[in-house]
Amino acid sequence: MKNTFGNLLQITLFGESHGAAIGCVIDGLPAGIAIDEDLIKKQMEKRKAKGRISTQRHEADEVHIVSGYFNGYTTGTPITILIENTNTRSKDYTKTRYRLRPSHADYCAEVKYNGYQDYRGGGHFSGRLTAPLVAAGAIAIQILKQKGIEIATHIENLHGICDTPFHHEETMLTQQINKLHELEFAVLDDNAAQAMHSCIEDAAKQGDSVGGILESCIYNLPCGIGEPFFDSLESHLSHLLFSIPAIKGVSFGLGFDFAKHYGSEVNDALYFDTKVKTKTNNNGGINGGISNGMPILIHTVVKPTPSIYKQQDTIDAKTKEAVKLVIEGRHDPAIIHRARVVVDSVLALGVLDLLLEKEAASHL
Amino acid sequence: MKNTFGNLLQITLFGESHGAAIGCVIDGLPAGIAIDEDLIKKQMEKRKAKGRISTQRHEADEVHIVSGYFNGYTTGTPITILIENTNTRSKDYTKTRYRLRPSHADYCAEVKYNGYQDYRGGGHFSGRLTAPLVAAGAIAIQILKQKGIEIATHIENLHGICDTPFHHEETMLTQQINKLHELEFAVLDDNAAQAMHSCIEDAAKQGDSVGGILESCIYNLPCGIGEPFFDSLESHLSHLLFSIPAIKGVSFGLGFDFAKHYGSEVNDALYFDTKVKTKTNNNGGINGGISNGMPILIHTVVKPTPSIYKQQDTIDAKTKEAVKLVIEGRHDPAIIHRARVVVDSVLALGVLDLLLEKEAASHL
Amino acid sequence: MKNTFGNLLQITLFGESHGAAIGCVIDGLPAGIAIDEDLIKKQMEKRKAKGRISTQRHEADEVHIVSGYFNGYTTGTPITILIENTNTRSKDYTKTRYRLRPSHADYCAEVKYNGYQDYRGGGHFSGRLTAPLVAAGAIAIQILKQKGIEIATHIENLHGICDTPFHHEETMLTQQINKLHELEFAVLDDNAAQAMHSCIEDAAKQGDSVGGILESCIYNLPCGIGEPFFDSLESHLSHLLFSIPAIKGVSFGLGFDFAKHYGSEVNDALYFDTKVKTKTNNNGGINGGISNGMPILIHTVVKPTPSIYKQQDTIDAKTKEAVKLVIEGRHDPAIIHRARVVVDSVLALGVLDLLLEKEAASHL
Amino acid sequence: MKNTFGNLLQITLFGESHGAAIGCVIDGLPAGIAIDEDLIKKQMEKRKAKGRISTQRHEADEVHIVSGYFNGYTTGTPITILIENTNTRSKDYTKTRYRLRPSHADYCAEVKYNGYQDYRGGGHFSGRLTAPLVAAGAIAIQILKQKGIEIATHIENLHGICDTPFHHEETMLTQQINKLHELEFAVLDDNAAQAMHSCIEDAAKQGDSVGGILESCIYNLPCGIGEPFFDSLESHLSHLLFSIPAIKGVSFGLGFDFAKHYGSEVNDALYFDTKVKTKTNNNGGINGGISNGMPILIHTVVKPTPSIYKQQDTIDAKTKEAVKLVIEGRHDPAIIHRARVVVDSVLALGVLDLLLEKEAASHL
């Protein structure tokens, strides 16, 4: 499957940056779920480009639910979300159509689609495609919340500037999660937030861009979600995370730091305190591909946006001749602060899918 | 889908560590492909436990192809691979059945399968399940080789000891790949190899375990493989990689180091030299989820094996009381040197699946 | 998968009869295919309600392609088709909401969706959902035509009135197919056409409805399409055909008449005449689940529309009390003449999907 | 998907008639289900060739469960069933390899697999592949039985000889079902049974073959199973039924007889009697693709086995020259009496899959 993901909860994504509309179809949601449209709006707001740290293309991103939704409740049939593209300046792209932007999908698209791709604003590759993901994710987030499952993501590291990580202690962690639900710029430490903000603005001034590392937490996920092969919780979530443009690495728990340690240092000892827990959580809440009841901890790296205003070396797609490229148009000096809500969204969709699958087996 | 993966090339994995047999079904291979059984043996040999750096459970791992294979060629119908379990000592496990091993899947399995799981030797969670993956992968590797696509993996970092990384220069890189095809202990630098070997032996002596980081390369993959959503090349490959027990992180190109750099530092400038190339390969051969013709570069982290001989704190699954656990049985002090061929195998299966999909669209 | 069908060519259907819009997403079409919008219009026209033999709800059924289509060609990304609902009279349904219409999905929907379904005009169960199928099918029909594959369907039997069946002789068959491409009321014999027309009008006058049997032909499908298990050509096509509301039987070749004959009477002897052919075509062009190069011959039965104006016995969904029901609103006295183009459409989508799959294997 | 079917309960089928073994993998069954191996044996016995009405190839058909089964219970991981091929006479087939048997898959296989197919005994196309389906189905039947759902099939028509159909009255129907569970030759009326038996024997004496029509009933299936698009209950079940070799037609309820009636004659009026029921059951328990709580009634036509001993016209696959063919080997003069248990099996697998899906949505 290409543009569809999920077993029991399937999401199909469509649209191009400068086409009439972008959107998605969500299939598999049970009937009778009340949708909180305000939460959809709030989530869409978190993804919006604002201020000098984002692109100057400002989209209304009004979400229309055109099917599967009746009198305020899901009907059990496919939910279709439509978002119109309004603020497009397609001419910006036509003149540089054949100047392949470095580290963009331009060359890959040219080869894969044989020149027929909609090249305007990145077409189907545009970050705009994450808008319907956020709308869909907002619905999943509501359902999970009712089951006591919370998802939150913060910028742990922006171009070297570090935020305080998620706490191991539960009360502290839930406070952090609640704080993040309200924050537009998802950084727990206020000084770090300010420093990161300035860092992005500086990059913008220089016509450059920066990236960073997101830390995500799925709190209160019950034990037993995921499969040994091939639908491990890590497999399932990484599949979705790596669909988000600009994400180039995903790790769970200690991640790449596991390489530094002995087994005896990083094994998570079990104990019982109202429920089964582990003293440490180096495995990020997952053993054998299955959730163990501890918080799921995930790191994702978001590369610096490839759209920079500095002059770059590239070639012309037609002549193959070397050319100098200066990108025009409106672009983000960083997308990590907007990507954060996209990460939350796909995590929610992925978790809800597996949760539905677990229910099926449990209640036979 | 749980134990099945793939769109056009589907692999279904089955079996338990101490059951009658483990195996897999491979569906979707065209008819008329000659299978080199010697290569299957060679790959199985690379996965085998040998010497003091691996478990003392030595399995013959003889591969039986019981369907889809006739007169030396694939028939176009499902290929079933069976590997018998012979060297099992199930009693080792019965006595500690309820002592949940830290960082193992024991507790998750107990909850998910309600106590009905085959707990002997890790059951379905055992690393033994990777044996049929290697046999299946060997067939995929042969097919890719005939199309000029090579896959190789080495231990880049074992508990801090580093190997020389893959070269950017093409001739050097192909030499490294060829060397790795022949090596049993996949380390390019001989001194590093010796040091890593000693490090594992030392860990074994202390009843402890170590992990590390693998670097993989898919060489000569044509441009245009992968999808923007949701089957990006990163999504597809990470899905498979995270199915391998003990893998806790996957990254492409610069991976988590992207966080340190400006866009202007890490954008890969394009140029033309017999074909379109990039001067650097920070994106690891993938843009917008699609291969760009440069080598695909992947890092995976393999955690230290959780089976250690040191005493550990845990609980009894039934009584929930705290107990001290000393694991007996035969275990690996490290699996990264065996995991390497498993990584090659799933990469080959994943790439072949997407390649078949590309062919479908191209030849309509 | 619920509302998505297909392996390489996936179609996702959405919408409700009285919602804002109905539509579908088609994923998997290669880039660079010119879409003939006039053919889409022509096919939509064949499905439209006209005259006294159809419902008086007349919808514009204007087809909007909002993604995956650029400068007249497919882009290779998902194609989204939207059709607005305009001519709705939702009040007709509100007053009889709980009076379960016999042989309709009302009761099933009430149970399955727990009362949350959009009940207006049949909601997601409405025959209107076949409109996007026809639009999508029109694109598939164009592609197949370019490969020399033609699909045609006629009403072989309407309430006992019979049309001349498809010819075994090839030149005659192609003439029949060409004639059907142009006909709005798909009956080959003009007298039969007139008699059927009158039969439907008479049923309409009596407030009753009629059904019938469609015969379909897929001409020039190459040998080798379909799989032995479980994706036999019969399985794949019947899956799609039985998705069309009101279809209650599907058969291939002789179908249920096979029960009357000895094997020696119905085996199709092979001979060679420029290509391998069979003297008879009792198997309807399929052996072992795979096309054999002869025309694919299919019968489908369309039941009389359950919406009749005569008084019927039923119960109230809430009180479970017996009630008399007289259906109001606008309804079809027969849908078989409109269903014919829906059958052609799903056959085209199903065949194209399998054709893409065949290409994948052939060109590895 | 080719040789895999199902959403939540997936079955993957493999093997060839004269290979080492045939079998299947069943994935998605919850853990903790006790498997009654005696019922598997009983069902396998019903499929076995016996007496003069079946082939003289007698296979032990011993069922080995090599994974997913531990201490008498399912483990929740994939269940693999293996059945060895023992009584093979491959030489029978080698000499006639290129003489294409009419109405068999020989020619299709030759083209599809480019001559690489295992041609011995029909290879992957053999009716033997239905043996693992029966073993898998037996497990599904057990689970459904525990939920009160019963499945039964009888030969309603064999070459014109008719059995008494399923009763509309519930007590009578359950008696019929219970009788069929015990019968080896599934005919309700004893005189009809005798006449059918003789008819097959006569056909066998003449070196000919006969077919017929099966009537199946799924009793006590709860209302709400199936989807409007594309996984209607009819779609799902017909997909599986048309995978069974020799089945050429599937219908529900009145089936093709719907063409004879007015809507007012065949609409099923609803009434309430302890639960919602319909006075007639012309729709065979399905409305809008969804079960309505009434018995599911299905007809399938099984064509006469194409392997007859009479001389037939065909061509040589290599030279394309006309040749006379006299089939040797051991063959069935009818398979309908053996197919009956295969039909029960795939219906059970199909229903269980959808039931699991329903549970998922209900318990979120």
Side-chain angles (χ1 to χ4, degrees):
Chain A
M1 292 197 295
K2 297 181 178 89
N3 291 275
T4 298
F5 186 81
N7 300 323
L8 280 166
L9 181 69
Q10 296 196 308
I11 182 154
T12 301
L13 197 64
F14 59 82
E16 278 79 36
S17 180
H18 290 224
I22 53 176
C24 64
V25 184
I26 312 159
D27 195 12
L29 279 185
I33 296 175
I35 296 183
D36 176 354
E37 295 195 49
D38 285 339
L39 184 64
I40 297 178
K41 270 180 204 146
K42 188 176 171 184
Q43 293 293 98
M44 294 302 289
E45 205 59 38
K46 286 180 184 162
R47 190 191 152 279
K48 265 189 193 160
K50 288 167 198 156
R52 279 173 299 178
I53 60 170
S54 300
T55 175
Q56 297 310 306
R57 175 178 175 183
H58 295 140
E59 280 285 357
D61 281 346
E62 213 173 306
V63 172
H64 303 276
I65 308 182
V66 301
S67 74
Y69 184 52
F70 181 50
N71 289 340
Y73 294 90
T74 59
T75 60
T77 55
I79 294 170
T80 305
I81 286 171
L82 278 186
I83 300 170
E84 283 170 45
N85 290 317
T86 53
N87 189 357
T88 54
R89 292 194 200 150
S90 304
K91 281 186 190 162
D92 287 350
Y93 297 92
T94 316
K95 56 185 173 185
T96 52
R97 181 206 185 319
Y98 293 109
R99 305 214 158 183
L100 302 171
R101 292 169 301 163
S103 292
H104 267 283
D106 295 0
Y107 173 61
C108 299
E110 191 75 24
V111 170
K112 184 176 181 73
Y113 302 118
N114 217 3
Y116 289 100
Q117 73 278 13
D118 182 349
Y119 53 81
R120 299 166 303 165
H124 189 62
F125 293 87
S126 167
R128 262 197 76 58
L129 270 283
T130 61
L133 278 179
V134 169
I139 299 173
I141 283 166
Q142 297 173 29
I143 299 172
L144 294 176
K145 207 181 199 90
Q146 283 170 17
K147 304 186 81 68
I149 302 166
E150 300 272 356
I151 296 175
T153 296
H154 71 115
I155 308 174
E156 198 190 65
N157 177 331
L158 184 127
H159 201 247
I161 305 160
C162 293
D163 191 18
T164 174
F166 281 125
H167 273 275
H168 185 64
E169 201 277 312
E170 218 167 323
T171 325
M172 301 293 278
L173 176 60
T174 50
Q175 281 174 14
Q176 289 179 318
I177 290 170
N178 289 335
K179 183 170 181 182
L180 288 171
H181 286 342
E182 300 312 317
L183 285 175
E184 286 234 340
F185 192 76
V187 179
L188 291 163
D189 181 272
D190 294 344
N191 292 332
Q194 215 167 347
M196 290 182 190
H197 213 280
S198 304
C199 174
I200 300 174
E201 287 190 331
D202 288 350
K205 275 181 211 151
Q206 293 159 38
D208 214 329
S209 66
V210 288
I213 296 171
L214 295 169
E215 187 187 28
S216 301
C217 175
I218 307 172
Y219 176 72
N220 220 8
L221 188 68
C223 178
I225 306 291
E227 300 293 329
F229 301 93
F230 292 91
D231 236 356
S232 78
L233 190 48
E234 292 111 326
S235 291
H236 200 73
L237 298 182
S238 70
H239 195 132
L240 281 161
L241 290 166
F242 275 123
S243 299
I244 304 172
I247 285 191
K248 298 295 282 187
V250 172
S251 72
F252 297 86
L254 272 192
F256 283 87
D257 282 351
F258 268 117
K260 296 177 188 160
H261 295 282
Y262 284 107
S264 60
E265 294 168 344
V266 291
N267 273 2
D268 296 313
L270 293 119
Y271 72 106
F272 186 83
D273 169 22
T274 67
K275 65 171 205 163
V276 176
K277 296 180 181 174
T278 59
K279 292 180 189 171
T280 50
N281 187 11
N282 297 316
N283 283 280
I286 309 175
N287 294 122
I290 298 171
S291 62
N292 65 13
M294 295 295 291
I296 309 297
L297 297 173
I298 307 164
H299 284 99
T300 43
V301 61
V302 182
K303 72 172 187 180
T305 28
S307 289
I308 56 175
Y309 293 96
K310 294 190 167 179
Q311 178 179 291
Q312 298 180 81
D313 289 331
T314 190
I315 58 168
D316 181 283
K318 285 207 157 167
T319 63
K320 304 287 185 292
E321 273 170 22
V323 290
K324 297 290 181 192
L325 170 74
V326 177
I327 296 177
E328 298 182 19
R330 301 163 295 176
H331 303 288
D332 292 274
I335 56 155
I336 190 165
H337 54 295
R338 300 176 64 197
R340 153 261 188 152
V341 69
V342 185
V343 166
D344 281 350
S345 300
V346 300
L347 291 177
L349 290 165
V351 160
L352 186 54
D353 183 22
L354 293 178
L355 210 60
L356 278 162
E357 200 151 351
K358 178 170 179 280
E359 292 305 314
S362 310
H363 292 274
L364 186 66
Chain B
M1 290 197 296
K2 296 180 178 90
N3 291 274
T4 298
F5 186 81
N7 300 325
L8 279 167
L9 182 69
Q10 295 195 309
I11 183 153
T12 302
L13 198 63
F14 59 83
E16 278 79 34
S17 180
H18 289 224
I22 53 177
C24 65
V25 183
I26 313 158
D27 196 11
L29 278 185
I33 295 175
I35 295 182
D36 177 353
E37 295 196 47
D38 285 339
L39 184 65
I40 298 179
K41 272 180 202 146
K42 189 176 171 184
Q43 293 293 95
M44 293 302 287
E45 204 59 37
K46 285 180 185 162
R47 190 192 154 279
K48 265 189 194 160
K50 284 169 201 155
R52 282 174 297 181
I53 59 170
S54 300
T55 176
Q56 298 309 305
R57 174 176 175 185
H58 295 139
E59 280 285 357
D61 280 347
E62 213 173 302
V63 172
H64 303 277
I65 307 182
V66 302
S67 75
Y69 184 51
F70 181 52
N71 289 340
Y73 294 89
T74 58
T75 60
T77 55
I79 294 171
T80 305
I81 285 171
L82 278 185
I83 299 170
E84 285 170 42
N85 291 317
T86 54
N87 189 359
T88 55
R89 293 193 202 153
S90 303
K91 282 185 191 165
D92 288 351
Y93 298 91
T94 315
K95 55 186 174 185
T96 52
R97 181 204 185 318
Y98 294 107
R99 306 213 157 184
L100 300 170
R101 293 169 301 163
S103 292
H104 266 282
D106 294 1
Y107 172 61
C108 300
E110 193 74 23
V111 170
K112 184 177 182 72
Y113 303 117
N114 218 1
Y116 289 100
Q117 72 280 11
D118 183 349
Y119 51 81
R120 300 167 303 165
H124 189 62
F125 293 88
S126 168
R128 261 198 79 56
L129 268 284
T130 60
L133 277 179
V134 170
I139 299 173
I141 285 168
Q142 297 173 27
I143 299 171
L144 293 175
K145 207 181 198 89
Q146 282 170 18
K147 303 185 83 69
I149 301 165
E150 301 272 355
I151 296 174
T153 295
H154 71 115
I155 308 173
E156 197 188 66
N157 177 331
L158 183 128
H159 201 247
I161 306 160
C162 292
D163 191 19
T164 174
F166 281 125
H167 274 275
H168 185 64
E169 198 278 311
E170 218 168 325
T171 325
M172 300 292 277
L173 176 60
T174 51
Q175 280 173 14
Q176 289 178 317
I177 291 170
N178 288 336
K179 184 172 180 181
L180 287 171
H181 286 341
E182 299 312 319
L183 284 175
E184 286 233 341
F185 192 77
V187 180
L188 291 162
D189 180 273
D190 294 342
N191 292 331
Q194 216 167 344
M196 290 183 190
H197 213 280
S198 302
C199 174
I200 301 175
E201 285 190 332
D202 288 350
K205 274 182 212 152
Q206 294 159 36
D208 215 328
S209 66
V210 287
I213 296 170
L214 294 169
E215 186 187 29
S216 301
C217 174
I218 307 172
Y219 176 71
N220 219 9
L221 187 68
C223 178
I225 306 292
E227 299 293 330
F229 300 92
F230 292 91
D231 237 357
S232 79
L233 190 48
E234 291 112 325
S235 291
H236 199 74
L237 297 182
S238 70
H239 194 132
L240 281 162
L241 289 166
F242 275 123
S243 299
I244 303 173
I247 285 190
K248 298 297 281 187
V250 172
S251 72
F252 296 85
L254 271 192
F256 283 87
D257 284 349
F258 267 117
K260 298 177 189 162
H261 295 282
Y262 285 108
S264 60
E265 293 168 344
V266 292
N267 273 1
D268 297 311
L270 292 119
Y271 72 106
F272 187 81
D273 168 23
T274 68
K275 64 169 204 166
V276 174
K277 296 179 182 174
T278 60
K279 291 179 190 172
T280 49
N281 187 11
N282 296 316
N283 284 280
I286 309 175
N287 294 122
I290 298 172
S291 63
N292 66 13
M294 295 295 289
I296 308 299
L297 296 174
I298 308 164
H299 284 99
T300 44
V301 61
V302 182
K303 73 173 185 178
T305 28
S307 288
I308 57 174
Y309 292 97
K310 294 189 166 177
Q311 180 179 289
Q312 297 181 84
D313 289 333
T314 190
I315 57 167
D316 181 283
K318 285 206 155 169
T319 64
K320 303 288 186 293
E321 274 171 20
V323 290
K324 296 290 179 190
L325 169 74
V326 178
I327 295 178
E328 297 182 20
R330 301 163 295 178
H331 303 289
D332 293 273
I335 54 155
I336 189 167
H337 52 295
R338 299 177 64 196
R340 152 260 188 155
V341 67
V342 185
V343 166
D344 281 349
S345 300
V346 300
L347 292 178
L349 290 164
V351 160
L352 186 55
D353 183 23
L354 294 179
L355 210 59
L356 278 161
E357 203 152 348
K358 179 170 179 281
E359 292 304 315
S362 311
H363 292 274
L364 185 67
Chain C
M1 290 196 296
K2 295 181 180 88
N3 291 275
T4 298
F5 186 81
N7 300 324
L8 279 167
L9 180 70
Q10 295 196 308
I11 181 151
T12 300
L13 197 64
F14 59 82
E16 278 80 33
S17 179
H18 290 223
I22 54 176
C24 65
V25 184
I26 312 159
D27 196 11
L29 279 185
I33 294 175
I35 294 183
D36 176 354
E37 295 196 49
D38 285 339
L39 184 63
I40 298 179
K41 271 179 204 147
K42 189 176 171 183
Q43 293 293 96
M44 295 301 287
E45 204 60 37
K46 285 181 186 162
R47 190 192 153 279
K48 264 187 194 161
K50 286 170 199 155
R52 281 173 296 177
I53 59 169
S54 300
T55 175
Q56 298 309 307
R57 175 175 174 184
H58 296 139
E59 280 285 358
D61 281 346
E62 214 175 305
V63 172
H64 302 277
I65 308 181
V66 301
S67 75
Y69 185 52
F70 181 51
N71 289 341
Y73 293 90
T74 60
T75 59
T77 55
I79 294 171
T80 304
I81 286 171
L82 278 185
I83 300 170
E84 284 171 45
N85 291 318
T86 53
N87 189 358
T88 54
R89 293 195 201 152
S90 303
K91 281 186 192 163
D92 288 349
Y93 298 91
T94 314
K95 54 186 173 184
T96 53
R97 178 197 184 328
Y98 293 108
R99 306 213 157 183
L100 301 171
R101 292 170 301 164
S103 293
H104 266 284
D106 294 0
Y107 172 60
C108 300
E110 192 74 24
V111 171
K112 184 177 181 74
Y113 302 118
N114 219 0
Y116 289 101
Q117 72 278 11
D118 182 349
Y119 52 81
R120 301 167 302 167
H124 189 60
F125 292 87
S126 167
R128 263 199 76 58
L129 269 284
T130 60
L133 277 179
V134 170
I139 299 173
I141 284 168
Q142 296 173 27
I143 299 172
L144 293 176
K145 209 181 196 90
Q146 283 170 18
K147 303 186 82 70
I149 302 165
E150 301 274 354
I151 296 176
T153 294
H154 70 116
I155 308 175
E156 198 190 62
N157 177 331
L158 184 126
H159 202 247
I161 305 161
C162 293
D163 192 20
T164 175
F166 280 127
H167 273 275
H168 185 65
E169 200 278 313
E170 219 168 326
T171 323
M172 300 291 279
L173 177 61
T174 50
Q175 280 172 14
Q176 289 179 317
I177 291 170
N178 288 336
K179 182 169 181 183
L180 288 171
H181 286 342
E182 300 312 317
L183 285 175
E184 286 234 340
F185 191 75
V187 179
L188 291 164
D189 180 273
D190 293 343
N191 291 332
Q194 214 167 345
M196 291 183 189
H197 213 281
S198 303
C199 175
I200 302 175
E201 285 190 331
D202 288 349
K205 275 181 212 153
Q206 295 160 35
D208 214 327
S209 66
V210 287
I213 296 171
L214 295 168
E215 187 187 28
S216 300
C217 174
I218 308 173
Y219 176 72
N220 220 7
L221 187 68
C223 179
I225 306 294
E227 300 292 328
F229 300 93
F230 291 93
D231 236 356
S232 78
L233 189 49
E234 291 111 327
S235 291
H236 200 73
L237 298 183
S238 69
H239 195 132
L240 281 161
L241 289 167
F242 276 122
S243 301
I244 303 174
I247 285 189
K248 298 296 280 187
V250 173
S251 72
F252 296 85
L254 272 193
F256 282 87
D257 282 349
F258 267 117
K260 298 178 189 160
H261 295 282
Y262 285 107
S264 60
E265 292 169 345
V266 291
N267 273 2
D268 296 312
L270 293 120
Y271 71 106
F272 186 83
D273 168 24
T274 68
K275 67 171 202 163
V276 176
K277 297 179 182 175
T278 59
K279 291 179 190 173
T280 49
N281 188 11
N282 296 315
N283 283 280
I286 308 175
N287 295 121
I290 298 171
S291 63
N292 66 13
M294 295 295 291
I296 309 298
L297 296 174
I298 308 165
H299 285 100
T300 44
V301 62
V302 182
K303 72 172 185 179
T305 28
S307 288
I308 56 175
Y309 292 97
K310 294 188 167 179
Q311 179 179 291
Q312 298 181 83
D313 287 333
T314 190
I315 57 168
D316 182 284
K318 285 207 156 166
T319 64
K320 303 289 186 292
E321 274 170 21
V323 289
K324 297 290 180 190
L325 170 73
V326 177
I327 296 178
E328 297 181 19
R330 300 164 295 177
H331 303 290
D332 293 273
I335 55 156
I336 189 166
H337 54 294
R338 299 177 65 196
R340 154 259 188 152
V341 68
V342 184
V343 166
D344 281 349
S345 300
V346 300
L347 291 177
L349 290 163
V351 161
L352 186 55
D353 183 21
L354 294 179
L355 210 61
L356 278 160
E357 201 151 351
K358 179 171 179 279
E359 292 305 314
S362 310
H363 292 274
L364 185 67
Chain D
M1 290 196 297
K2 295 180 180 88
N3 291 274
T4 298
F5 185 81
N7 301 325
L8 279 167
L9 180 69
Q10 296 195 307
I11 181 153
T12 301
L13 197 64
F14 58 83
E16 278 78 34
S17 180
H18 290 223
I22 53 177
C24 65
V25 183
I26 311 158
D27 197 11
L29 280 185
I33 295 175
I35 295 183
D36 177 353
E37 295 197 47
D38 285 339
L39 183 65
I40 298 180
K41 270 180 202 146
K42 189 176 170 182
Q43 293 294 94
M44 294 302 287
E45 203 60 38
K46 285 181 186 160
R47 190 193 153 277
K48 262 187 196 163
K50 285 168 200 156
R52 280 173 297 180
I53 59 168
S54 299
T55 175
Q56 297 310 305
R57 176 176 174 184
H58 296 138
E59 280 284 358
D61 280 348
E62 214 174 304
V63 171
H64 303 276
I65 308 182
V66 303
S67 75
Y69 184 52
F70 182 50
N71 290 340
Y73 293 90
T74 59
T75 59
T77 55
I79 294 172
T80 305
I81 285 172
L82 276 186
I83 299 171
E84 284 171 43
N85 290 318
T86 54
N87 188 358
T88 54
R89 293 194 201 152
S90 303
K91 280 184 190 164
D92 288 351
Y93 298 91
T94 316
K95 55 185 173 184
T96 51
R97 181 202 186 320
Y98 293 108
R99 304 210 159 186
L100 301 171
R101 291 171 301 163
S103 292
H104 266 283
D106 294 1
Y107 172 61
C108 300
E110 192 74 25
V111 170
K112 184 177 181 72
Y113 302 118
N114 217 1
Y116 289 100
Q117 73 279 12
D118 183 349
Y119 52 83
R120 299 167 304 165
H124 189 62
F125 293 87
S126 168
R128 262 198 78 57
L129 269 283
T130 60
L133 277 179
V134 169
I139 299 173
I141 283 167
Q142 296 173 29
I143 299 170
L144 293 176
K145 206 180 198 90
Q146 283 170 18
K147 303 187 82 69
I149 302 165
E150 301 273 354
I151 296 175
T153 295
H154 70 116
I155 308 174
E156 197 189 63
N157 177 330
L158 184 127
H159 200 248
I161 306 161
C162 292
D163 193 17
T164 174
F166 281 125
H167 273 274
H168 185 64
E169 199 280 313
E170 219 168 325
T171 323
M172 300 292 277
L173 177 61
T174 50
Q175 280 173 15
Q176 290 178 319
I177 290 170
N178 289 335
K179 183 171 180 181
L180 288 172
H181 286 343
E182 299 313 317
L183 285 175
E184 286 234 338
F185 191 76
V187 180
L188 291 164
D189 180 272
D190 294 343
N191 292 330
Q194 215 167 345
M196 290 182 190
H197 213 280
S198 302
C199 174
I200 301 175
E201 284 190 333
D202 288 348
K205 274 182 212 152
Q206 294 160 35
D208 214 328
S209 66
V210 287
I213 296 170
L214 295 169
E215 187 188 27
S216 301
C217 173
I218 308 172
Y219 176 71
N220 219 9
L221 187 69
C223 178
I225 307 292
E227 299 293 330
F229 299 94
F230 292 92
D231 238 355
S232 78
L233 190 47
E234 292 111 326
S235 291
H236 200 72
L237 298 182
S238 70
H239 194 132
L240 281 162
L241 290 167
F242 276 122
S243 299
I244 303 174
I247 285 188
K248 298 295 283 185
V250 172
S251 72
F252 297 85
L254 271 193
F256 283 87
D257 283 350
F258 267 117
K260 297 178 189 160
H261 296 282
Y262 284 107
S264 60
E265 293 168 342
V266 292
N267 272 3
D268 296 313
L270 293 119
Y271 72 107
F272 186 82
D273 168 23
T274 69
K275 65 170 204 164
V276 175
K277 296 179 183 174
T278 60
K279 292 179 189 173
T280 49
N281 188 11
N282 296 315
N283 283 280
I286 309 174
N287 295 122
I290 298 172
S291 63
N292 66 12
M294 294 296 289
I296 309 298
L297 296 174
I298 308 164
H299 284 100
T300 44
V301 61
V302 181
K303 73 173 185 178
T305 28
S307 288
I308 56 175
Y309 292 97
K310 294 189 167 177
Q311 179 178 291
Q312 297 180 83
D313 289 332
T314 190
I315 58 167
D316 181 284
K318 284 207 156 166
T319 64
K320 303 287 187 290
E321 275 171 20
V323 288
K324 296 291 179 190
L325 170 74
V326 177
I327 296 177
E328 298 180 21
R330 300 162 298 177
H331 303 290
D332 292 273
I335 55 156
I336 189 166
H337 54 295
R338 301 176 63 196
R340 153 260 187 154
V341 68
V342 184
V343 165
D344 280 350
S345 301
V346 301
L347 291 177
L349 290 163
V351 161
L352 186 54
D353 182 22
L354 294 179
L355 210 60
L356 279 160
E357 200 150 350
K358 178 171 179 279
E359 293 304 315
S362 310
H363 292 274
L364 185 68

